[in-house]
Amino acid sequence: MKKFFLLLPFFLSLSLKSQACDICGCFMGITPYDNQSGVSIMHRYRIFNGYRQLGQTPQFFPDGVRPFFPAHLNNDTGYEHSHKGDPNDYEAFRVIEVRGKYFLSQRVELNAFVPYVMNTSQINGKQLNASGIGDVTVFAGYHLIRNIETAGVQSRLIVGGGLKLPTGNFQRVNQDGKRYPLLNQVGTGTTDGFVYANYIGSWRSLGLSVNSSYRVASRNRFENSIAPSTTTFASLFYRLPLGQNWQVYPSAQFFYEKTDGEELEGRLTGEHEMNNALLGPGLDVYYKNFSLNTSMQFPVYTAMTDHPASAGRFVLAVGYSFKQTKYLLKRKQE
């Protein structure tokens, strides 16, 4: 197969940690479907626990945590967001996201992501759960470099940008009428703009992709927002063709995120500042037009904060790509 090695661009709706630390969430792995529109469902799990300044070791699956669905929903009895060093504290962020991708031409693509968010925060033995439709993301990408026909060597550069829209609820309150922390809301109430660049290069079956993004956010009605954030994702992958219909892509994936955290009235609050690097394996499997994408990353560097530390993330996705041969925009000679 001559046409392959396309990475779906990356960005997801941001909801503080479930956003700023998962900017790469819409990255779907290495796919052989070049210029193919498609649909997919993705599940993401991100976990924070253990206070590093107290010598506590983060756990990927701390006691009581369910990686796919929380044990309870909309329970806030006695919860107070106050970090005191309890080793059983954790913050778990789960997203099930429906994604659509459509190529207007061989070089122009449109994407839309609709997330269902499930956040859990356990602090000092009390737990808060919130779930619901999150912030929808829409963006477009242009394939600036599209060298996919050269024997043995492939390269692609995609640049683009988009918006994260304030469709999720960001005004939930507890039984006393106190608003949930922004971290635990399913939406942010902000309109965020972002730009990204995604380069993929390969030689025969060996390839490397590098993705970087930059995001800025508006303020919501409570004057809350997130400081500008950056994310970089790199993947070293290898293509293993298994017969006519199967292809397998094992990979090593690196993920870096940085943000100065929450802002109130344009000033940093010191809450949820992040400077993390994660590393781990990935495996993408393709059968005809169907795909299964998996990845898992663990921390290799975490800056010291007074919040639970990053303990890792994993992604599981299934998708279907259409055999697109016609485009809405007039096809030009590529």
Side-chain angles (χ1 to χ4, degrees):
M1 180 182 291
K2 292 184 178 180
K3 296 183 177 181
F4 64 122
F5 298 125
L6 171 63
L7 291 169
L8 293 183
F10 53 93
F11 221 92
L12 61 103
S13 68
L14 304 177
S15 165
L16 260 174
K17 281 188 179 177
S18 65
Q19 300 177 349
C21 45
D22 273 333
I23 287 176
C24 219
C26 63
F27 173 76
M28 286 291 294
I30 303 121
T31 163
Y33 308 126
D34 178 59
N35 288 96
Q36 297 297 295
S37 299
V39 294
S40 62
I41 298 177
M42 171 183 282
H43 174 79
R44 297 190 305 277
Y45 165 79
R46 187 74 191 270
I47 184 70
F48 295 79
N49 72 96
Y51 295 90
R52 289 178 56 86
Q53 72 271 30
L54 300 179
Q56 298 174 9
T57 302
Q59 301 294 321
F60 194 64
F61 294 114
D63 291 342
V65 172
R66 296 184 178 183
F68 290 96
F69 299 97
H72 306 284
L73 292 178
N74 302 320
N75 174 34
D76 58 21
T77 303
Y79 176 87
E80 182 180 357
H81 194 79
S82 176
H83 297 285
K84 298 178 181 179
D86 188 333
N88 296 313
D89 289 357
Y90 68 83
E91 294 167 343
F93 303 91
R94 315 164 190 85
V95 179
I96 296 177
E97 197 164 53
V98 177
R99 305 177 169 211
K101 181 187 188 77
Y102 182 74
F103 275 89
L104 293 175
S105 71
Q106 285 190 333
R107 291 185 183 267
V108 179
E109 60 176 78
L110 300 178
N111 297 265
F113 302 156
V114 180
Y116 185 83
V117 177
M118 296 167 286
N119 295 335
T120 300
S121 178
Q122 178 170 296
I123 305 295
N124 304 317
K126 302 295 183 177
Q127 191 174 110
L128 184 149
N129 292 277
S131 64
I133 299 296
D135 294 337
V136 172
T137 298
V138 292
F139 64 94
Y142 181 75
H143 294 230
L144 190 64
I145 298 175
R146 187 177 175 273
N147 296 329
I148 60 174
E149 302 295 342
T150 304
V153 178
Q154 314 281 335
S155 62
R156 180 185 299 281
L157 175 63
I158 308 169
V159 295
L163 296 173
K164 188 276 298 175
L165 305 175
T167 55
N169 189 349
F170 67 101
Q171 304 181 73
R172 293 188 177 182
V173 297
N174 63 17
Q175 58 187 358
D176 298 321
K178 184 178 180 180
R179 181 171 170 259
Y180 286 1
L182 182 58
L183 173 66
N184 298 104
Q185 301 283 349
V186 299
T188 62
T190 66
T191 299
D192 301 357
F194 62 90
V195 293
Y196 69 88
N198 176 18
Y199 177 77
I200 312 103
S202 67
W203 179 72
R204 296 182 178 177
S205 293
L206 183 65
L208 175 68
S209 68
V210 179
N211 309 262
S212 291
S213 67
Y214 177 78
R215 179 186 70 90
V216 294
S218 66
R219 301 180 190 177
N220 61 27
R221 63 184 295 262
F222 301 103
E223 295 297 313
N224 268 141
S225 66
I226 301 299
S229 61
T230 59
T231 299
T232 297
F233 186 98
S235 176
L236 180 66
F237 58 88
Y238 191 83
R239 175 177 177 258
L240 296 172
L242 301 177
Q244 183 176 359
N245 295 321
W246 291 88
Q247 295 188 63
V248 177
Y249 291 75
S251 60
Q253 301 182 1
F254 174 81
F255 177 50
Y256 175 75
E257 60 191 351
K258 188 178 189 305
T259 177
D260 289 333
E262 184 178 348
E263 291 183 345
L264 181 62
E265 297 180 345
R267 298 179 180 178
L268 293 172
T269 66
E271 291 291 315
H272 316 308
E273 178 182 358
M274 287 185 294
N275 186 3
N276 300 317
L278 299 92
L279 180 68
L283 182 66
D284 302 323
V285 180
Y286 299 91
Y287 174 71
K288 294 184 178 179
N289 284 49
F290 295 93
S291 62
L292 172 66
N293 306 102
T294 64
S295 67
M296 185 176 295
Q297 293 108 41
F298 304 96
V300 292
Y301 170 76
T302 301
M304 199 71 70
T305 72
D306 60 355
H307 283 61
S310 173
R313 67 193 293 269
F314 79 72
V315 176
L316 176 65
V318 293
Y320 180 82
S321 294
F322 303 98
K323 295 180 179 179
Q324 185 173 0
T325 58
K326 296 181 180 180
Y327 303 94
L328 289 180
L329 297 182
K330 185 178 180 180
R331 187 172 181 175
K332 297 181 180 179
Q333 187 68 30
E334 299 290 347

